[in-house]
Amino acid sequence: MKMRILVTGGTGFIGSHTVVELLCAGHEAEVLDNLSNSSEEALRRAALLAGRDADGIPFHRADIRDRAVLEQIFSHQRFDAVIHFAGLKAVGESTEKPWEYYDNNITGTLTLLDVMRRHGCKNIIFSSSATVYGDPAEVPITENCPKGSCTNPYGWTKSMLEQILTDMQKADPEWNVVLLRYFNPIGAHPSGRIGENPNGIPNNLMPYITQVAIGKRPELGVFGNDYDTPDGTGVRDYIHVVDLAKGHVSALEALRNGCGLAVYNLGTGRGYSVLEVVHAFEKASGIKVPYAIKPRRSGDIACCYSDPSKAERELGWKAQYGLEEMCRDSWNWQRNNPEGYGEL
């Protein structure tokens, strides 16, 4: 059954890929984004990938804290659900600008939720993160693993918003809330038309690797090689962004079935070390990636990967792409778009 979805943060890395998958699955999407760390060009390309005209996806350039704009959007269109990506997401920056992160992520989401309920839209998929587990009590991490103490304000905003959504659903069972806890999204659309386009110095491993490979940066910094892992570098669960995007389409079924509150890990169930990713990328691209070992970063943990079996069992979703495809598609995007979408 076709659904009409408002996608907040829909011009970003995960958002733009999800818009493609929504449209390809037969749903309709409108996008709201303030373009603070993304480009409208991503949406135009997403539309073309889904067989639409370049300007075929309704777009609202606005901030989720702007109540007047949200009221206008919901007054003119009835939405079956919201997929909520919009938020600041740089871990390091969040420690330097905690007020900005709490204001944007929490105030913005509270405003969005209030407008949604006032207009009778009580279905939401929330973009959460494995960071809510902190230093996990168990690995692989299941959804029953207790939430931990977060190490940065970004992580706390995800944890707090999960709690807010949980409390709202408990108080009003008409709400259906899906919390998707992502592990480490990398890769790009296989077409090479959309991908990760970080503003400034990348915060994540793969875009840093690709920028070294294309000559924009001299070397990769590897933070710590003395962890209790096979090669001493940190182990993470990397997931192809297209698999992640398809996870959101699958999660719509949970909303449609009246799930109440549902929590799912989206990962592959396999951990790769930093150096494994570097070597896999070198194999996929044919380019040597110079790196330097640096001191551990505060808050980093040795090993973190998921048990994604609940999502497979309940949503019929399972990651299809392996590390080779993640590296291939990341390089294909970077090589064909050395300047990303251009200036942000």
Side-chain angles (χ1 to χ4, degrees):
M1 187 176 77
K2 183 166 83 171
M3 298 176 75
R4 180 170 289 277
I5 314 297
L6 178 66
V7 184
T8 72
T11 63
F13 175 43
I14 303 169
S16 59
H17 286 81
T18 300
V19 167
V20 172
E21 298 304 325
L22 285 170
L23 297 178
C24 288
H27 301 294
E28 292 299 323
E30 289 194 22
V31 170
L32 179 145
D33 202 304
N34 66 4
L35 303 181
S36 65
N37 189 32
S38 60
S39 170
E40 195 175 347
E41 176 63 20
L43 197 60
R44 287 190 281 270
R45 295 188 188 186
L48 293 170
L49 288 171
R52 305 292 179 94
D53 293 335
D55 297 317
I57 301 172
F59 174 63
H60 310 274
R61 182 172 184 175
D63 193 291
I64 52 170
R65 292 168 293 185
D66 191 332
R67 180 180 291 271
V69 171
L70 288 175
E71 287 282 358
Q72 188 177 32
I73 292 169
F74 278 88
S75 295
H76 285 85
Q77 183 59 261
R78 191 189 75 80
F79 295 100
D80 297 299
V82 172
I83 300 180
H84 181 31
F85 295 107
L88 299 175
K89 62 172 189 171
V91 169
E93 183 184 61
S94 77
T95 63
E96 299 162 7
K97 299 179 177 179
W99 185 89
E100 286 81 358
Y101 270 68
Y102 288 119
D103 178 51
N104 186 88
N105 294 7
I106 294 182
T107 305
T109 303
L110 287 172
T111 304
L112 173 67
L113 292 171
D114 190 35
V115 174
M116 286 175 65
R117 66 180 181 173
R118 285 163 54 84
H119 290 270
C121 179
K122 295 184 176 181
N123 293 315
I124 187 168
I125 296 172
F126 177 59
S127 166
S128 192
S129 166
T131 193
V132 302
Y133 293 116
D135 194 348
E138 59 186 24
V139 175
I141 301 169
T142 70
E143 291 83 354
N144 293 324
C145 181
K147 287 168 68 175
S149 180
C150 298
T151 57
N152 55 76
Y154 160 74
W156 279 119
T157 66
K158 292 297 187 187
S159 186
M160 290 175 183
L161 287 169
E162 281 199 5
Q163 189 63 51
I164 289 166
L165 286 159
T166 299
D167 291 343
M168 285 188 64
Q169 196 283 326
K170 185 177 180 181
D172 179 0
E174 288 186 3
W175 278 93
N176 293 299
V177 174
V178 177
L179 307 177
L180 296 182
R181 294 173 178 167
Y182 311 160
F183 280 70
N184 295 69
I186 60 174
H189 194 275
S191 66
R193 297 291 293 150
I194 59 174
E196 191 164 9
N197 185 37
N199 191 3
I201 299 173
N203 291 293
N204 298 323
L205 176 63
M206 185 56 78
Y208 211 111
I209 289 174
T210 63
Q211 289 191 11
V212 170
I214 208 162
K216 292 182 84 170
R217 305 199 181 275
E219 65 181 14
L220 170 72
V222 176
F223 298 99
N225 67 343
D226 57 352
Y227 287 104
D228 184 16
T229 62
D231 62 19
T233 62
V235 169
R236 297 291 182 270
D237 187 339
Y238 296 95
I239 176 173
H240 198 295
V241 66
V242 172
D243 278 331
L244 187 65
K246 289 180 177 179
H248 292 76
V249 178
S250 298
L252 290 175
E253 286 299 314
L255 296 181
R256 192 157 33 207
N257 294 331
C259 63
L261 176 72
V263 182
Y264 298 102
N265 288 334
L266 293 186
T268 65
R270 165 75 196 269
Y272 293 97
S273 75
V274 173
L275 292 184
E276 280 184 283
V277 175
V278 169
H279 298 324
F281 180 84
E282 290 176 334
K283 183 179 177 184
S285 67
I287 294 173
K288 191 74 176 169
V289 177
Y291 65 86
I293 303 299
K294 300 191 174 183
R296 293 185 182 190
R297 290 182 300 194
S298 174
D300 275 356
I301 57 177
C303 187
C304 175
Y305 60 94
S306 69
D307 176 347
S309 58
K310 183 183 177 187
E312 182 178 8
R313 190 169 62 249
E314 296 187 9
L315 302 178
W317 173 88
K318 185 178 181 180
Q320 300 298 314
Y321 294 101
L323 184 59
E324 182 180 344
E325 291 93 346
M326 298 181 214
C327 292
R328 177 200 67 201
D329 293 340
S330 294
W331 177 234
N332 188 37
W333 154 255
Q334 182 74 81
R335 185 182 53 192
N336 287 301
N337 304 269
E339 299 303 322
Y341 298 113
E343 292 301 314
L344 295 182

